[in-house]
Amino acid sequence: MPRTKSAPAPAPPKRNQIKHVSRRVGFGLRYGTITVIWAAVVLCFAALWFTWDLPNPARAVTQARRPAIILLDPAGHMVARFGDVSGDVLLPSQLPSYVPAAFIAIEDRRFEQHGAFDAQGLLRAAILDVARRHVVQGGSTLTQQVAKTLFLSNERTYRRKVQEAIISLWLWKHYSRDEILGIYLNRVYLGAGAYGIDAASRLYFGHPATQLTLAEASILAGLPKAPSSLNPLANPQAAQNRATQVLDAMLATGAITAADEANAKLQLANAASPTSHSSWFALWAMQQAGALIPEGQDATLSTTLDAGLQTVAEAALANIIFTQGDALNMHQGAVVVLDARSGAIRALVGGVGNREGYNRAVLARRQTGSAIKPIVWLAGLEAGMTPDDEVLDAPLSLHGYNPHDYERNYRGQVTMTQALADSMNTAAIRILLRAGGARRVIRVARSLGLTDNFPDNASLALGSGSVGVLQLAGAYATFFNGGNRVTPFGLTAINGTAIATTPAVPVVSADLASQMAGMLRAVVTNGTGTTAYIPGVYTAGKTGTTQNYRDAWFVGAAGHDIIAVWVGNDDNAPMNKVLGGSVPAQIFKQIAVEAAGD
């Protein structure tokens, strides 16, 4: 009988269990490895995304700054500064103790207790961010502030927060607590181009940070929150209010006593007063320098600016606009003060308000009204007339053109001097005709430096043409410097190298210039410009008012200075009966008093 195979005996249970476990382990290892690889890839991409543009923290103290441009007056004193301002690098121990204490109290009052991060501060920020559903509050420690202000933007995103944390850890590893505080104090941006405590102290208060008072320190400590709007040059009151918060924080942390705080608050108003402003002149001078400034380098510009006169001119215009502007519907103006002998601009005001806006002293072209009449009178003198020659002031009709005097009170035969003093319109047109007509007067205007277009008709004599304030000031200089045409200028040197200026050019005989100066003097002594008269000070000039009171002028001399004043509105809206002999003459007089004291 054949033998049959018997069925294999079942495997022992233990071997089956081992195989099953082996398969599960292999499966786990295989997929675990894949998971680890993909996690590593994701982490690499995340790290790359967070760090690909991360700056090198090792450059903490060596970061480049924008070149600084300094403007000097003729005596060599600084009158303005642009660009980033850097001062001396100071250790916290070199400063009065209340200086670093002020920054710690308002920016990171637990600075001495925590490390790179403040757990309490982070928790508070996280809660607020979640509640608002976006990043609202950033790093609260000084280390994080260093990381943010030195290397990162102000963008409020989670990516920037991660980058901030990475840099903060690096800083904490490589620098001590005092060194981080020192980096912060020497590199923090404190407004107006000033980086660091010493630069800001010199810019705002005129002395190094080692001499800061408690009041001054509190002002500077309040700036990191909003350096552009809280600095004393931008908003003295806001700077003072913020400094009060700093002092309160210092008292709460025990950095100062109640008596210290009280004394400092008494000094705040004075400390928060700006020591300088970027004047209209300074901004204009920067534009004039233009390509002459070495690219990427610090530069010193020597200028013709008289800082005291500039301040007076800006204040005189602003005060009268602010106090009378609404009642007179008069909201803008411009002023130029220049040396009649050379054309050097001593002050320039382009308007009221934003100094970086439209410069009306240089760019605007406004109708002159009777302020153009001295050009007509000069043309008459060159045609052979004299100040004592008579001219008829009476109704006049020229091919349908019927000009009339302001008061329509005609005088009949009057001298040229009287006609100019009382700004007689019909006499002006008759002088223009006797001088050779409008084209002859235009040629005279060109010889004095007036390059704008003028109407080729009799209305030219009454100021229907438009000119710039700066140009008209330069033209008037010829009447008071012996007959020379000057080209207005404001820069004299860059980094000690002289800038060529256009020399004065004789265009009118000294005798005719003297006759013109005499007639313009009569305008102030017994004519339409008596408001500009100053006892004991030589003043002379001419008023100007255009149709419907859209423009009002006074241009004249005070000693060796020419002062040109215009008021009106940018939209050419009529003012409320503002004459050249009123507001412009008042502004002229205020500036002339200051100029006479130089």
Side-chain angles (χ1 to χ4, degrees), residues 171-523:
L171 289 169
W172 192 254
K173 178 181 178 181
H174 289 81
Y175 294 97
S176 69
R177 194 186 306 272
D178 282 347
E179 287 173 333
I180 290 174
L181 178 60
I183 293 173
Y184 178 83
L185 293 175
N186 284 290
R187 293 294 300 172
V188 63
Y189 181 59
L190 296 174
Y195 283 84
I197 191 77
D198 192 61
S201 178
R202 295 175 187 273
L203 177 66
Y204 297 133
F205 310 122
H207 55 71
T210 54
Q211 300 175 17
L212 282 169
T213 66
L214 175 57
E216 293 168 343
S218 67
I219 290 172
L220 297 186
L223 298 184
K225 179 181 180 181
S228 296
S229 59
L230 289 178
N231 77 73
L233 295 182
N235 191 332
Q237 187 59 55
Q240 183 177 344
N241 294 342
R242 176 63 173 166
T244 298
Q245 298 174 4
V246 174
L247 291 171
D248 291 343
M250 294 180 74
L251 180 63
T253 59
I256 58 174
T257 66
D260 293 332
E261 181 184 31
N263 289 333
K265 286 184 176 180
L266 290 176
Q267 301 172 24
L268 277 181
N270 183 60
S273 298
T275 57
S276 63
H277 276 297
S278 293
S279 65
W280 282 100
F281 178 98
L283 295 167
W284 171 79
M286 282 279 292
Q287 295 169 356
Q288 295 301 298
L292 297 177
I293 299 175
E295 184 175 356
Q297 301 178 29
D298 290 350
T300 300
L301 309 182
S302 299
T303 75
T304 59
L305 175 66
D306 183 317
L309 199 58
Q310 176 73 29
T311 299
V312 169
E314 290 193 7
L317 178 62
N319 289 341
I320 209 160
I321 295 294
F322 291 150
T323 58
Q324 301 182 40
D326 289 341
L328 298 176
N329 194 34
M330 171 189 67
H331 303 292
Q332 272 301 343
V335 177
V336 170
V337 183
L338 59 79
D339 189 324
R341 298 162 296 186
S342 64
I345 301 171
R346 303 184 64 205
L348 184 149
V349 184
V352 175
N354 180 15
R355 289 180 174 83
E356 296 184 3
Y358 182 58
N359 190 329
R360 296 157 190 82
V362 178
L363 301 176
R365 293 296 181 267
R366 306 293 302 209
Q367 287 190 337
T368 61
S370 295
I372 199 67
K373 286 177 180 175
I375 313 295
V376 178
W377 262 243
L378 176 60
L381 295 183
E382 290 184 343
M385 300 180 69
T386 70
D388 293 327
D389 279 358
E390 292 188 341
V391 60
L392 181 61
D393 176 39
L396 180 65
S397 179
L398 293 174
H399 309 293
Y401 177 49
N402 301 296
H404 57 79
D405 290 348
Y406 174 72
E407 296 180 346
R408 298 178 184 260
N409 183 19
Y410 301 103
R411 309 282 188 84
Q413 292 291 340
V414 296
T415 65
M416 283 188 73
T417 299
Q418 185 179 358
L420 187 62
D422 291 333
S423 200
M424 300 176 184
N425 289 339
T426 61
I429 292 178
R430 288 185 169 93
I431 292 174
L432 176 141
L433 297 174
R434 290 173 62 175
R439 293 187 181 181
R440 172 58 189 162
V441 173
I442 292 173
R443 285 197 294 271
V444 173
R446 296 280 184 266
S447 72
L448 300 183
L450 297 177
T451 60
D452 289 302
N453 294 324
F454 292 98
D456 184 12
N457 56 56
S459 70
L460 168 62
L462 306 187
S464 60
S466 299
V467 303
V469 181
L470 180 58
Q471 275 198 348
L472 195 57
Y476 267 64
T478 305
F479 305 138
F480 300 98
N481 66 14
N484 300 316
R485 182 184 68 230
V486 299
T487 301
F489 67 95
L491 295 174
T492 58
I494 295 182
N495 290 338
T497 301
I499 298 175
T501 58
T502 304
V505 179
V507 292
V508 176
S509 71
D511 181 53
L512 293 186
S514 177
Q515 292 179 40
M516 282 302 310
M519 287 190 287
L520 289 169
R521 172 65 173 167
V523 174

